[in-house]
Amino acid sequence: MSWVLLIQLGPVVALLVLGFSVGSFVERRHLRRLAIRELALADLLVTASRTVESGRSEALGLVVGEVVIASDYFKSFVARLRSIVGGELGTFESLMERARREALVRMLESAKGLGADSVINVRFATSNIGSMAAKRPSAMVEMYAYGTAIR
Amino acid sequence: MIVVNTETIVGYTICETKGLVQGNTIRAKHVGRDLAAGLKNLVGGELVGYTELLIEARRQATERMLAQAEQLGANAVVNVRFTTSAITQGAAELYAYGTAVVVEREA
């Protein structure tokens, strides 16, 4: 009896362990790298407003940053369980945060490459190229950030 | 061609508005990328194939918008926006639009 249960549950448990261990390692590494890259970009002024006070003379153009990040099996599993009772999906919140920060950092890096000192009118948008079959416990975030680089 | 997503361009004056310009593209993912994405969905992390797809789609939509602006005789596009819509499973439309204008550099 117990080995039947083990065979049935085994793959799921294995995937959960794999998702949790590798997933949290990937996430920690990503957050660590993000922190370093953000520090290097800290001198850029980033605003969501359309105008900026005087003193800046030249618009350099549109800068964009995109990223697609996948959830791991563990996160998706927890989110699915949580969806039964409702409430906050904490595991997906960190996924969204990583995607937003990564898109923003990529945008700022290209702004810096253009020689900008600020990026104004920053907007975020999401896309859904990869919306998978609903029965598969997966999720991915497709995020892009765009703004106007000025000097 | 100057492209910004603000209503005005710092350092330039808008002399003439040519009108709305737009560009779109619809992209589908392919099976190979899907397979890789399926694996990535177990352990998490960036889906590089999809990121590239998104970058290509955005470039194409922007290029089409700029071609339209050029046809109208504009030298800049202001107030650019990007939107997406899910047209069918596994494909997405990327749409870029903005206002084509003629600008002159401020003295």
Side-chain angles (χ1 to χ4, degrees):
Chain A
M1 189 61 212
S2 63
W3 61 268
V4 175
L5 202 69
L6 195 74
I7 287 172
Q8 279 175 337
L9 287 179
V12 176
V13 173
L15 283 177
L16 278 176
V17 171
L18 180 78
F20 182 73
S21 53
V22 182
S24 50
F25 167 74
V26 168
E27 177 161 292
R28 275 201 307 273
R29 192 183 57 182
H30 189 201
L31 288 173
R32 217 166 37 234
R33 286 182 180 166
L34 270 177
I36 295 167
R37 287 158 77 197
E38 275 167 356
L39 209 64
L41 296 162
D43 54 327
L44 282 164
L45 175 73
V46 188
T47 73
S49 46
R50 295 163 180 179
T51 50
V52 71
E53 312 86 77
S54 59
R56 304 224 161 49
S57 59
E58 197 186 349
L60 298 167
L62 204 66
V63 281
V64 191
E66 291 107 335
V67 72
V68 183
I69 289 186
S71 162
D72 60 57
Y73 195 85
F74 178 78
K75 275 180 192 288
S76 306
F77 188 83
V78 171
R80 261 170 110 204
L81 281 187
R82 194 65 209 248
S83 297
I84 298 169
V85 292
E88 198 176 350
L89 298 177
T91 53
F92 281 172
E93 276 174 9
S94 66
L95 195 70
M96 294 299 281
E97 188 213 327
R98 276 165 63 201
R100 270 208 192 91
R101 282 171 69 186
E102 179 71 39
L104 193 68
V105 160
R106 286 184 186 181
M107 182 193 80
L108 294 179
E109 278 170 354
S110 73
K112 200 154 201 189
L114 289 174
D117 65 13
S118 357
V119 181
I120 59 171
N121 208 17
V122 173
R123 296 282 178 269
F124 289 102
T126 54
S127 153
N128 36 17
I129 287 172
S131 49
M132 305 278 251
K135 54 181 181 282
R136 215 188 302 180
S138 63
M140 60 180 82
V141 192
E142 300 164 30
M143 185 70 67
Y144 57 110
Y146 58 104
T148 300
I150 60 173
R151 181 157 62 189
Chain B
M1 186 82 71
I2 307 162
V3 188
V4 296
N5 73 338
T6 47
E7 285 91 352
T8 52
I9 309 177
V10 190
Y12 293 83
T13 320
I14 295 172
C15 326
E16 196 188 343
T17 305
K18 293 285 191 184
L20 189 75
V21 284
Q22 51 200 325
N24 79 333
T25 181
I26 298 172
R27 289 293 169 109
K29 59 204 170 97
H30 66 69
V31 181
R33 279 174 172 163
D34 231 16
L35 268 171
L39 288 177
K40 261 289 163 66
N41 262 310
L42 298 178
V43 294
E46 185 182 351
L47 299 166
V48 180
Y50 283 176
T51 305
E52 278 164 10
L53 195 70
L54 210 60
I55 293 172
E56 276 166 32
R58 200 248 318 144
R59 273 200 194 133
Q60 175 111 55
T62 313
E63 261 165 34
R64 287 180 182 168
M65 180 184 75
L66 293 183
Q68 252 187 40
E70 218 153 80
Q71 237 173 17
L72 291 174
N75 64 357
V77 182
V78 296
N79 217 2
V80 173
R81 297 277 179 272
F82 293 110
T83 68
T84 58
S85 54
I87 187 158
T88 171
Q89 188 104 63
E93 184 194 29
L94 220 137
Y95 182 60
Y97 59 103
T99 309
V101 292
V102 177
V103 294
E104 230 167 56
R105 183 128 208 180
E106 275 165 16

